[in-house]
PDB file of all heavy atoms in Angstrom:
ATOM      1  N   LEU I 118       0.816  -1.212   0.000  1.00  0.00           N
ATOM      2  CA  LEU I 118       0.000   0.000   0.000  1.00  0.00           C
ATOM      3  C   LEU I 118       0.853   1.267   0.000  1.00  0.00           C
ATOM      4  O   LEU I 118       0.465   2.291  -0.555  1.00  0.00           O
ATOM      5  CB  LEU I 118      -0.929   0.016   1.222  1.00  0.00           C
ATOM      6  CG  LEU I 118      -2.083  -0.984   1.208  1.00  0.00           C
ATOM      7  CD1 LEU I 118      -2.818  -0.938   2.542  1.00  0.00           C
ATOM      8  CD2 LEU I 118      -3.034  -0.665   0.073  1.00  0.00           C
ATOM      9  N   LEU I 119       2.026   1.187   0.617  1.00  0.00           N
ATOM     10  CA  LEU I 119       2.915   2.347   0.668  1.00  0.00           C
ATOM     11  C   LEU I 119       3.752   2.498  -0.598  1.00  0.00           C
ATOM     12  O   LEU I 119       4.520   3.446  -0.716  1.00  0.00           O
ATOM     13  CB  LEU I 119       3.843   2.237   1.883  1.00  0.00           C
ATOM     14  CG  LEU I 119       3.157   2.311   3.242  1.00  0.00           C
ATOM     15  CD1 LEU I 119       4.152   2.046   4.359  1.00  0.00           C
ATOM     16  CD2 LEU I 119       2.508   3.672   3.422  1.00  0.00           C
ATOM     17  N   GLY I 120       3.634   1.566  -1.524  1.00  0.00           N
ATOM     18  CA  GLY I 120       4.383   1.650  -2.771  1.00  0.00           C
ATOM     19  C   GLY I 120       5.772   1.062  -2.706  1.00  0.00           C
ATOM     20  O   GLY I 120       6.581   1.283  -3.600  1.00  0.00           O
ATOM     21  N   ALA I 121       6.080   0.297  -1.665  1.00  0.00           N
ATOM     22  CA  ALA I 121       7.398  -0.339  -1.533  1.00  0.00           C
ATOM     23  C   ALA I 121       7.277  -1.799  -1.959  1.00  0.00           C
ATOM     24  O   ALA I 121       7.292  -2.709  -1.135  1.00  0.00           O
ATOM     25  CB  ALA I 121       7.905  -0.215  -0.107  1.00  0.00           C
ATOM     26  N   GLU I 122       7.160  -2.018  -3.274  1.00  0.00           N
ATOM     27  CA  GLU I 122       6.929  -3.371  -3.774  1.00  0.00           C
ATOM     28  C   GLU I 122       8.119  -4.277  -3.514  1.00  0.00           C
ATOM     29  O   GLU I 122       7.945  -5.464  -3.204  1.00  0.00           O
ATOM     30  CB  GLU I 122       6.630  -3.339  -5.275  1.00  0.00           C
ATOM     31  CG  GLU I 122       5.380  -2.596  -5.655  1.00  0.00           C
ATOM     32  CD  GLU I 122       5.627  -1.111  -5.876  1.00  0.00           C
ATOM     33  OE1 GLU I 122       6.808  -0.696  -5.867  1.00  0.00           O
ATOM     34  OE2 GLU I 122       4.647  -0.375  -6.039  1.00  0.00           O
ATOM     35  N   PHE I 123       9.318  -3.734  -3.664  1.00  0.00           N
ATOM     36  CA  PHE I 123      10.519  -4.558  -3.462  1.00  0.00           C
ATOM     37  C   PHE I 123      10.605  -5.065  -2.030  1.00  0.00           C
ATOM     38  O   PHE I 123      10.909  -6.232  -1.782  1.00  0.00           O
ATOM     39  CB  PHE I 123      11.774  -3.769  -3.828  1.00  0.00           C
ATOM     40  CG  PHE I 123      13.043  -4.533  -3.631  1.00  0.00           C
ATOM     41  CD1 PHE I 123      13.419  -5.516  -4.534  1.00  0.00           C
ATOM     42  CD2 PHE I 123      13.858  -4.288  -2.545  1.00  0.00           C
ATOM     43  CE1 PHE I 123      14.580  -6.234  -4.353  1.00  0.00           C
ATOM     44  CE2 PHE I 123      15.020  -4.996  -2.351  1.00  0.00           C
ATOM     45  CZ  PHE I 123      15.388  -5.973  -3.259  1.00  0.00           C
ATOM     46  N   LEU I 124      10.355  -4.180  -1.062  1.00  0.00           N
ATOM     47  CA  LEU I 124      10.393  -4.599   0.341  1.00  0.00           C
ATOM     48  C   LEU I 124       9.314  -5.625   0.637  1.00  0.00           C
ATOM     49  O   LEU I 124       9.531  -6.581   1.394  1.00  0.00           O
ATOM     50  CB  LEU I 124      10.232  -3.383   1.255  1.00  0.00           C
ATOM     51  CG  LEU I 124      11.414  -2.443   1.349  1.00  0.00           C
ATOM     52  CD1 LEU I 124      11.065  -1.254   2.219  1.00  0.00           C
ATOM     53  CD2 LEU I 124      12.620  -3.161   1.890  1.00  0.00           C
ATOM     54  N   ALA I 125       8.143  -5.456   0.050  1.00  0.00           N
ATOM     55  CA  ALA I 125       7.047  -6.386   0.303  1.00  0.00           C
ATOM     56  C   ALA I 125       7.385  -7.780  -0.218  1.00  0.00           C
ATOM     57  O   ALA I 125       7.213  -8.775   0.489  1.00  0.00           O
ATOM     58  CB  ALA I 125       5.765  -5.869  -0.342  1.00  0.00           C
ATOM     59  N   ILE I 126       7.876  -7.859  -1.443  1.00  0.00           N
ATOM     60  CA  ILE I 126       8.180  -9.176  -1.998  1.00  0.00           C
ATOM     61  C   ILE I 126       9.385  -9.797  -1.305  1.00  0.00           C
ATOM     62  O   ILE I 126       9.462 -11.013  -1.125  1.00  0.00           O
ATOM     63  CB  ILE I 126       8.374  -9.102  -3.534  1.00  0.00           C
ATOM     64  CG1 ILE I 126       8.211 -10.491  -4.158  1.00  0.00           C
ATOM     65  CG2 ILE I 126       9.697  -8.525  -3.903  1.00  0.00           C
ATOM     66  CD1 ILE I 126       6.838 -11.027  -4.094  1.00  0.00           C
ATOM     67  N   THR I 127      10.332  -8.949  -0.863  1.00  0.00           N
ATOM     68  CA  THR I 127      11.474  -9.469  -0.110  1.00  0.00           C
ATOM     69  C   THR I 127      11.025 -10.034   1.225  1.00  0.00           C
ATOM     70  O   THR I 127      11.511 -11.082   1.663  1.00  0.00           O
ATOM     71  CB  THR I 127      12.518  -8.360   0.111  1.00  0.00           C
ATOM     72  OG1 THR I 127      12.908  -7.851  -1.158  1.00  0.00           O
ATOM     73  CG2 THR I 127      13.728  -8.874   0.834  1.00  0.00           C
ATOM     74  N   LEU I 128      10.100  -9.347   1.878  1.00  0.00           N
ATOM     75  CA  LEU I 128       9.583  -9.847   3.155  1.00  0.00           C
ATOM     76  C   LEU I 128       8.926 -11.199   2.980  1.00  0.00           C
ATOM     77  O   LEU I 128       9.139 -12.121   3.774  1.00  0.00           O
ATOM     78  CB  LEU I 128       8.598  -8.839   3.752  1.00  0.00           C
ATOM     79  CG  LEU I 128       7.992  -9.211   5.099  1.00  0.00           C
ATOM     80  CD1 LEU I 128       9.047  -9.173   6.173  1.00  0.00           C
ATOM     81  CD2 LEU I 128       6.866  -8.290   5.447  1.00  0.00           C
ATOM     82  N   VAL I 129       8.129 -11.346   1.928  1.00  0.00           N
ATOM     83  CA  VAL I 129       7.443 -12.624   1.708  1.00  0.00           C
ATOM     84  C   VAL I 129       8.443 -13.713   1.351  1.00  0.00           C
ATOM     85  O   VAL I 129       8.407 -14.822   1.896  1.00  0.00           O
ATOM     86  CB  VAL I 129       6.360 -12.475   0.617  1.00  0.00           C
ATOM     87  CG1 VAL I 129       5.804 -13.827   0.227  1.00  0.00           C
ATOM     88  CG2 VAL I 129       5.248 -11.576   1.112  1.00  0.00           C
ATOM     89  N   LEU I 130       9.371 -13.413   0.438  1.00  0.00           N
ATOM     90  CA  LEU I 130      10.302 -14.448  -0.009  1.00  0.00           C
ATOM     91  C   LEU I 130      11.303 -14.839   1.067  1.00  0.00           C
ATOM     92  O   LEU I 130      11.541 -16.025   1.307  1.00  0.00           O
ATOM     93  CB  LEU I 130      11.050 -13.974  -1.262  1.00  0.00           C
ATOM     94  CG  LEU I 130      10.234 -13.866  -2.538  1.00  0.00           C
ATOM     95  CD1 LEU I 130      11.088 -13.341  -3.666  1.00  0.00           C
ATOM     96  CD2 LEU I 130       9.633 -15.204  -2.916  1.00  0.00           C
ATOM     97  N   VAL I 131      11.894 -13.830   1.723  1.00  0.00           N
ATOM     98  CA  VAL I 131      12.957 -14.131   2.675  1.00  0.00           C
ATOM     99  C   VAL I 131      12.390 -14.602   3.998  1.00  0.00           C
ATOM    100  O   VAL I 131      12.745 -15.674   4.500  1.00  0.00           O
ATOM    101  CB  VAL I 131      13.865 -12.898   2.878  1.00  0.00           C
ATOM    102  CG1 VAL I 131      14.868 -13.134   3.984  1.00  0.00           C
ATOM    103  CG2 VAL I 131      14.585 -12.565   1.589  1.00  0.00           C
ATOM    104  N   TYR I 132      11.475 -13.827   4.576  1.00  0.00           N
ATOM    105  CA  TYR I 132      11.013 -14.171   5.917  1.00  0.00           C
ATOM    106  C   TYR I 132      10.027 -15.331   5.911  1.00  0.00           C
ATOM    107  O   TYR I 132      10.167 -16.268   6.689  1.00  0.00           O
ATOM    108  CB  TYR I 132      10.410 -12.939   6.601  1.00  0.00           C
ATOM    109  CG  TYR I 132      11.463 -12.012   7.107  1.00  0.00           C
ATOM    110  CD1 TYR I 132      11.889 -10.940   6.348  1.00  0.00           C
ATOM    111  CD2 TYR I 132      12.055 -12.229   8.336  1.00  0.00           C
ATOM    112  CE1 TYR I 132      12.879 -10.100   6.801  1.00  0.00           C
ATOM    113  CE2 TYR I 132      13.047 -11.388   8.807  1.00  0.00           C
ATOM    114  CZ  TYR I 132      13.453 -10.333   8.036  1.00  0.00           C
ATOM    115  OH  TYR I 132      14.436  -9.511   8.492  1.00  0.00           O
ATOM    116  N   VAL I 133       9.034 -15.273   5.058  1.00  0.00           N
ATOM    117  CA  VAL I 133       8.062 -16.372   5.044  1.00  0.00           C
ATOM    118  C   VAL I 133       8.688 -17.615   4.435  1.00  0.00           C
ATOM    119  O   VAL I 133       8.501 -18.727   4.911  1.00  0.00           O
ATOM    120  CB  VAL I 133       6.784 -15.957   4.286  1.00  0.00           C
ATOM    121  CG1 VAL I 133       5.829 -17.119   4.172  1.00  0.00           C
ATOM    122  CG2 VAL I 133       6.119 -14.787   4.980  1.00  0.00           C
ATOM    123  N   GLY I 134       9.483 -17.429   3.373  1.00  0.00           N
ATOM    124  CA  GLY I 134      10.040 -18.588   2.689  1.00  0.00           C
ATOM    125  C   GLY I 134      11.225 -19.213   3.369  1.00  0.00           C
ATOM    126  O   GLY I 134      11.396 -20.425   3.336  1.00  0.00           O
ATOM    127  N   ALA I 135      12.081 -18.407   4.004  1.00  0.00           N
ATOM    128  CA  ALA I 135      13.310 -18.954   4.568  1.00  0.00           C
ATOM    129  C   ALA I 135      13.341 -18.912   6.087  1.00  0.00           C
ATOM    130  O   ALA I 135      13.606 -19.916   6.740  1.00  0.00           O
ATOM    131  CB  ALA I 135      14.512 -18.184   3.999  1.00  0.00           C
ATOM    132  N   VAL I 136      13.058 -17.757   6.655  1.00  0.00           N
ATOM    133  CA  VAL I 136      13.184 -17.622   8.106  1.00  0.00           C
ATOM    134  C   VAL I 136      12.149 -18.483   8.827  1.00  0.00           C
ATOM    135  O   VAL I 136      12.440 -19.104   9.845  1.00  0.00           O
ATOM    136  CB  VAL I 136      13.083 -16.132   8.510  1.00  0.00           C
ATOM    137  CG1 VAL I 136      13.047 -15.972  10.006  1.00  0.00           C
ATOM    138  CG2 VAL I 136      14.247 -15.365   7.927  1.00  0.00           C
ATOM    139  N   MET I 137      10.923 -18.542   8.300  1.00  0.00           N
ATOM    140  CA  MET I 137       9.915 -19.367   8.966  1.00  0.00           C
ATOM    141  C   MET I 137      10.258 -20.851   8.868  1.00  0.00           C
ATOM    142  O   MET I 137       9.979 -21.621   9.786  1.00  0.00           O
ATOM    143  CB  MET I 137       8.532 -19.108   8.374  1.00  0.00           C
ATOM    144  CG  MET I 137       7.939 -17.795   8.837  1.00  0.00           C
ATOM    145  SD  MET I 137       8.055 -17.532  10.610  1.00  0.00           S
ATOM    146  CE  MET I 137       7.217 -18.941  11.250  1.00  0.00           C
ATOM    147  N   VAL I 138      10.872 -21.258   7.764  1.00  0.00           N
ATOM    148  CA  VAL I 138      11.345 -22.644   7.668  1.00  0.00           C
ATOM    149  C   VAL I 138      12.406 -22.893   8.731  1.00  0.00           C
ATOM    150  O   VAL I 138      12.412 -23.948   9.387  1.00  0.00           O
ATOM    151  CB  VAL I 138      11.875 -22.938   6.250  1.00  0.00           C
ATOM    152  CG1 VAL I 138      12.559 -24.284   6.189  1.00  0.00           C
ATOM    153  CG2 VAL I 138      10.748 -22.870   5.237  1.00  0.00           C
ATOM    154  N   LEU I 139      13.291 -21.917   8.932  1.00  0.00           N
ATOM    155  CA  LEU I 139      14.306 -22.045   9.978  1.00  0.00           C
ATOM    156  C   LEU I 139      13.666 -22.097  11.359  1.00  0.00           C
ATOM    157  O   LEU I 139      14.055 -22.917  12.203  1.00  0.00           O
ATOM    158  CB  LEU I 139      15.290 -20.880   9.888  1.00  0.00           C
ATOM    159  CG  LEU I 139      16.404 -20.853  10.938  1.00  0.00           C
ATOM    160  CD1 LEU I 139      17.331 -22.038  10.749  1.00  0.00           C
ATOM    161  CD2 LEU I 139      17.171 -19.556  10.845  1.00  0.00           C
ATOM    162  N   PHE I 140      12.682 -21.237  11.615  1.00  0.00           N
ATOM    163  CA  PHE I 140      11.990 -21.262  12.905  1.00  0.00           C
ATOM    164  C   PHE I 140      11.342 -22.623  13.145  1.00  0.00           C
ATOM    165  O   PHE I 140      11.446 -23.196  14.225  1.00  0.00           O
ATOM    166  CB  PHE I 140      10.929 -20.169  12.974  1.00  0.00           C
ATOM    167  CG  PHE I 140      11.467 -18.803  13.246  1.00  0.00           C
ATOM    168  CD1 PHE I 140      10.623 -17.713  13.274  1.00  0.00           C
ATOM    169  CD2 PHE I 140      12.812 -18.585  13.475  1.00  0.00           C
ATOM    170  CE1 PHE I 140      11.108 -16.445  13.519  1.00  0.00           C
ATOM    171  CE2 PHE I 140      13.315 -17.329  13.719  1.00  0.00           C
ATOM    172  CZ  PHE I 140      12.461 -16.256  13.740  1.00  0.00           C
ATOM    173  N   LEU I 141      10.646 -23.129  12.132  1.00  0.00           N
ATOM    174  CA  LEU I 141      10.000 -24.429  12.298  1.00  0.00           C
ATOM    175  C   LEU I 141      11.026 -25.532  12.484  1.00  0.00           C
ATOM    176  O   LEU I 141      10.794 -26.487  13.225  1.00  0.00           O
ATOM    177  CB  LEU I 141       9.093 -24.719  11.105  1.00  0.00           C
ATOM    178  CG  LEU I 141       7.821 -23.873  11.060  1.00  0.00           C
ATOM    179  CD1 LEU I 141       7.064 -24.111   9.768  1.00  0.00           C
ATOM    180  CD2 LEU I 141       6.928 -24.179  12.249  1.00  0.00           C
ATOM    181  N   PHE I 142      12.186 -25.420  11.827  1.00  0.00           N
ATOM    182  CA  PHE I 142      13.251 -26.402  12.030  1.00  0.00           C
ATOM    183  C   PHE I 142      13.743 -26.365  13.467  1.00  0.00           C
ATOM    184  O   PHE I 142      13.962 -27.409  14.081  1.00  0.00           O
ATOM    185  CB  PHE I 142      14.395 -26.122  11.051  1.00  0.00           C
ATOM    186  CG  PHE I 142      15.555 -27.053  11.193  1.00  0.00           C
ATOM    187  CD1 PHE I 142      15.466 -28.360  10.752  1.00  0.00           C
ATOM    188  CD2 PHE I 142      16.734 -26.616  11.772  1.00  0.00           C
ATOM    189  CE1 PHE I 142      16.532 -29.217  10.893  1.00  0.00           C
ATOM    190  CE2 PHE I 142      17.811 -27.471  11.912  1.00  0.00           C
ATOM    191  CZ  PHE I 142      17.708 -28.780  11.465  1.00  0.00           C
ATOM    192  N   VAL I 143      13.918 -25.161  14.013  1.00  0.00           N
ATOM    193  CA  VAL I 143      14.359 -25.042  15.410  1.00  0.00           C
ATOM    194  C   VAL I 143      13.291 -25.589  16.351  1.00  0.00           C
ATOM    195  O   VAL I 143      13.601 -26.269  17.330  1.00  0.00           O
ATOM    196  CB  VAL I 143      14.693 -23.568  15.736  1.00  0.00           C
ATOM    197  CG1 VAL I 143      14.893 -23.366  17.226  1.00  0.00           C
ATOM    198  CG2 VAL I 143      15.921 -23.138  14.974  1.00  0.00           C
ATOM    199  N   ILE I 144      12.023 -25.332  16.036  1.00  0.00           N
ATOM    200  CA  ILE I 144      10.947 -25.862  16.866  1.00  0.00           C
ATOM    201  C   ILE I 144      10.979 -27.382  16.848  1.00  0.00           C
ATOM    202  O   ILE I 144      10.793 -28.043  17.868  1.00  0.00           O
ATOM    203  CB  ILE I 144       9.583 -25.327  16.383  1.00  0.00           C
ATOM    204  CG1 ILE I 144       9.447 -23.844  16.730  1.00  0.00           C
ATOM    205  CG2 ILE I 144       8.431 -26.106  17.009  1.00  0.00           C
ATOM    206  CD1 ILE I 144       8.245 -23.184  16.096  1.00  0.00           C
ATOM    207  N   MET I 145      11.248 -27.951  15.678  1.00  0.00           N
ATOM    208  CA  MET I 145      11.308 -29.409  15.588  1.00  0.00           C
ATOM    209  C   MET I 145      12.550 -29.969  16.284  1.00  0.00           C
ATOM    210  O   MET I 145      12.559 -31.125  16.692  1.00  0.00           O
ATOM    211  CB  MET I 145      11.320 -29.845  14.117  1.00  0.00           C
ATOM    212  CG  MET I 145      10.087 -29.453  13.365  1.00  0.00           C
ATOM    213  SD  MET I 145       8.599 -30.032  14.181  1.00  0.00           S
ATOM    214  CE  MET I 145       7.370 -29.105  13.335  1.00  0.00           C
ATOM    215  N   MET I 146      13.616 -29.153  16.406  1.00  0.00           N
ATOM    216  CA  MET I 146      14.825 -29.621  17.089  1.00  0.00           C
ATOM    217  C   MET I 146      14.643 -29.652  18.601  1.00  0.00           C
ATOM    218  O   MET I 146      15.379 -30.345  19.302  1.00  0.00           O
ATOM    219  CB  MET I 146      16.006 -28.701  16.754  1.00  0.00           C
ATOM    220  CG  MET I 146      16.513 -28.820  15.344  1.00  0.00           C
ATOM    221  SD  MET I 146      17.383 -30.342  15.059  1.00  0.00           S
ATOM    222  CE  MET I 146      18.833 -30.092  16.060  1.00  0.00           C
ATOM    223  N   LEU I 147      13.687 -28.880  19.112  1.00  0.00           N
ATOM    224  CA  LEU I 147      13.451 -28.876  20.549  1.00  0.00           C
ATOM    225  C   LEU I 147      12.850 -30.211  20.981  1.00  0.00           C
ATOM    226  O   LEU I 147      12.227 -30.917  20.201  1.00  0.00           O
ATOM    227  CB  LEU I 147      12.495 -27.736  20.923  1.00  0.00           C
ATOM    228  CG  LEU I 147      12.998 -26.323  20.632  1.00  0.00           C
ATOM    229  CD1 LEU I 147      11.900 -25.329  20.909  1.00  0.00           C
ATOM    230  CD2 LEU I 147      14.221 -26.006  21.459  1.00  0.00           C
ATOM    231  N   ASP I 148      13.058 -30.527  22.228  1.00  0.00           N
ATOM    232  CA  ASP I 148      12.520 -31.786  22.756  1.00  0.00           C
ATOM    233  C   ASP I 148      11.065 -31.582  23.162  1.00  0.00           C
ATOM    234  O   ASP I 148      10.745 -31.383  24.328  1.00  0.00           O
ATOM    235  CB  ASP I 148      13.351 -32.251  23.954  1.00  0.00           C
ATOM    236  CG  ASP I 148      14.745 -32.635  23.540  1.00  0.00           C
ATOM    237  OD1 ASP I 148      14.898 -33.088  22.387  1.00  0.00           O
ATOM    238  OD2 ASP I 148      15.669 -32.477  24.343  1.00  0.00           O
ATOM    239  N   ILE I 149      10.186 -31.631  22.180  1.00  0.00           N
ATOM    240  CA  ILE I 149       8.758 -31.468  22.435  1.00  0.00           C
ATOM    241  C   ILE I 149       8.110 -32.839  22.331  1.00  0.00           C
ATOM    242  O   ILE I 149       8.427 -33.622  21.437  1.00  0.00           O
ATOM    243  CB  ILE I 149       8.121 -30.498  21.417  1.00  0.00           C
ATOM    244  CG1 ILE I 149       8.770 -29.126  21.532  1.00  0.00           C
ATOM    245  CG2 ILE I 149       6.626 -30.394  21.623  1.00  0.00           C
ATOM    246  CD1 ILE I 149       8.322 -28.147  20.472  1.00  0.00           C
ATOM    247  N   ASN I 150       7.218 -33.136  23.226  1.00  0.00           N
ATOM    248  CA  ASN I 150       6.516 -34.409  23.187  1.00  0.00           C
ATOM    249  C   ASN I 150       5.447 -34.337  22.093  1.00  0.00           C
ATOM    250  O   ASN I 150       4.357 -33.815  22.299  1.00  0.00           O
ATOM    251  CB  ASN I 150       5.889 -34.705  24.556  1.00  0.00           C
ATOM    252  CG  ASN I 150       5.350 -36.109  24.621  1.00  0.00           C
ATOM    253  OD1 ASN I 150       5.410 -36.857  23.638  1.00  0.00           O
ATOM    254  ND2 ASN I 150       4.824 -36.477  25.772  1.00  0.00           N
ATOM    255  N   PHE I 151       5.779 -34.871  20.915  1.00  0.00           N
ATOM    256  CA  PHE I 151       4.877 -34.760  19.781  1.00  0.00           C
ATOM    257  C   PHE I 151       3.714 -35.741  19.859  1.00  0.00           C
ATOM    258  O   PHE I 151       2.757 -35.608  19.119  1.00  0.00           O
ATOM    259  CB  PHE I 151       5.639 -34.960  18.470  1.00  0.00           C
ATOM    260  CG  PHE I 151       6.469 -33.773  18.109  1.00  0.00           C
ATOM    261  CD1 PHE I 151       7.835 -33.780  18.322  1.00  0.00           C
ATOM    262  CD2 PHE I 151       5.892 -32.639  17.584  1.00  0.00           C
ATOM    263  CE1 PHE I 151       8.597 -32.685  18.010  1.00  0.00           C
ATOM    264  CE2 PHE I 151       6.646 -31.537  17.261  1.00  0.00           C
ATOM    265  CZ  PHE I 151       7.998 -31.562  17.477  1.00  0.00           C
ATOM    266  N   ASP I 152       3.796 -36.730  20.735  1.00  0.00           N
ATOM    267  CA  ASP I 152       2.660 -37.646  20.876  1.00  0.00           C
ATOM    268  C   ASP I 152       1.443 -36.897  21.407  1.00  0.00           C
ATOM    269  O   ASP I 152       0.320 -37.100  20.945  1.00  0.00           O
ATOM    270  CB  ASP I 152       3.015 -38.807  21.809  1.00  0.00           C
ATOM    271  CG  ASP I 152       4.066 -39.714  21.187  1.00  0.00           C
ATOM    272  OD1 ASP I 152       4.126 -39.765  19.936  1.00  0.00           O
ATOM    273  OD2 ASP I 152       4.817 -40.346  21.935  1.00  0.00           O
ATOM    274  N   ASN I 153       1.661 -36.012  22.377  1.00  0.00           N
ATOM    275  CA  ASN I 153       0.539 -35.214  22.893  1.00  0.00           C
ATOM    276  C   ASN I 153       0.027 -34.246  21.839  1.00  0.00           C
ATOM    277  O   ASN I 153      -1.175 -33.971  21.763  1.00  0.00           O
ATOM    278  CB  ASN I 153       0.976 -34.440  24.141  1.00  0.00           C
ATOM    279  CG  ASN I 153       1.238 -35.358  25.309  1.00  0.00           C
ATOM    280  OD1 ASN I 153       0.725 -36.471  25.349  1.00  0.00           O
ATOM    281  ND2 ASN I 153       2.063 -34.911  26.238  1.00  0.00           N
ATOM    282  N   LEU I 154       0.942 -33.696  21.029  1.00  0.00           N
ATOM    283  CA  LEU I 154       0.505 -32.770  19.981  1.00  0.00           C
ATOM    284  C   LEU I 154      -0.266 -33.498  18.890  1.00  0.00           C
ATOM    285  O   LEU I 154      -1.213 -32.959  18.320  1.00  0.00           O
ATOM    286  CB  LEU I 154       1.717 -32.053  19.383  1.00  0.00           C
ATOM    287  CG  LEU I 154       2.470 -31.113  20.324  1.00  0.00           C
ATOM    288  CD1 LEU I 154       3.673 -30.519  19.609  1.00  0.00           C
ATOM    289  CD2 LEU I 154       1.560 -30.014  20.802  1.00  0.00           C
ATOM    290  N   ARG I 155       0.147 -34.722  18.575  1.00  0.00           N
ATOM    291  CA  ARG I 155      -0.541 -35.468  17.514  1.00  0.00           C
ATOM    292  C   ARG I 155      -1.924 -35.924  17.953  1.00  0.00           C
ATOM    293  O   ARG I 155      -2.796 -36.145  17.128  1.00  0.00           O
ATOM    294  CB  ARG I 155       0.306 -36.668  17.109  1.00  0.00           C
ATOM    295  CG  ARG I 155       1.506 -36.284  16.289  1.00  0.00           C
ATOM    296  CD  ARG I 155       2.216 -37.488  15.724  1.00  0.00           C
ATOM    297  NE  ARG I 155       3.420 -37.076  15.051  1.00  0.00           N
ATOM    298  CZ  ARG I 155       4.636 -37.430  15.402  1.00  0.00           C
ATOM    299  NH1 ARG I 155       4.813 -38.203  16.443  1.00  0.00           N
ATOM    300  NH2 ARG I 155       5.682 -37.014  14.738  1.00  0.00           N
ATOM    301  N   LYS I 156      -2.105 -36.077  19.257  1.00  0.00           N
ATOM    302  CA  LYS I 156      -3.440 -36.459  19.728  1.00  0.00           C
ATOM    303  C   LYS I 156      -4.461 -35.393  19.379  1.00  0.00           C
ATOM    304  O   LYS I 156      -5.580 -35.682  19.025  1.00  0.00           O
ATOM    305  CB  LYS I 156      -3.412 -36.650  21.253  1.00  0.00           C
ATOM    306  CG  LYS I 156      -2.901 -37.971  21.712  1.00  0.00           C
ATOM    307  CD  LYS I 156      -3.158 -38.117  23.190  1.00  0.00           C
ATOM    308  CE  LYS I 156      -1.891 -38.561  23.866  1.00  0.00           C
ATOM    309  NZ  LYS I 156      -1.981 -38.593  25.294  1.00  0.00           N
ATOM    310  N   ASN I 157      -4.051 -34.150  19.491  1.00  0.00           N
ATOM    311  CA  ASN I 157      -4.949 -33.036  19.219  1.00  0.00           C
ATOM    312  C   ASN I 157      -4.653 -32.412  17.854  1.00  0.00           C
ATOM    313  O   ASN I 157      -4.674 -31.196  17.703  1.00  0.00           O
ATOM    314  CB  ASN I 157      -4.799 -31.973  20.314  1.00  0.00           C
ATOM    315  CG  ASN I 157      -5.115 -32.528  21.670  1.00  0.00           C
ATOM    316  OD1 ASN I 157      -5.984 -33.367  21.802  1.00  0.00           O
ATOM    317  ND2 ASN I 157      -4.398 -32.078  22.682  1.00  0.00           N
TER     318      ASN I 157
END
């Protein structure tokens, strides 16, 4: 909306495409009991 198309597409590509994958990878590396999560 502000006319910064480059920043918008960079945010989607870099943060949603790469950083969120990294965040989810770190979440999966943590010792979380996934049996309880899979139940729900």
Side-chain angles (χ1 to χ4, degrees):
L118 289 174
L119 294 174
E122 297 88 7
F123 179 76
L124 287 176
I126 199 68
T127 303
L128 181 69
V129 171
L130 290 178
V131 173
Y132 282 95
V133 175
V136 173
M137 284 313 303
V138 171
L139 179 66
F140 282 177
L141 288 173
F142 179 74
V143 169
I144 288 170
M145 298 306 166
M146 289 288 292
L147 297 174
D148 293 330
I149 299 174
N150 189 358
F151 285 102
D152 292 333
N153 291 337
L154 294 178
R155 286 189 185 117
K156 278 190 229 174
N157 301 325

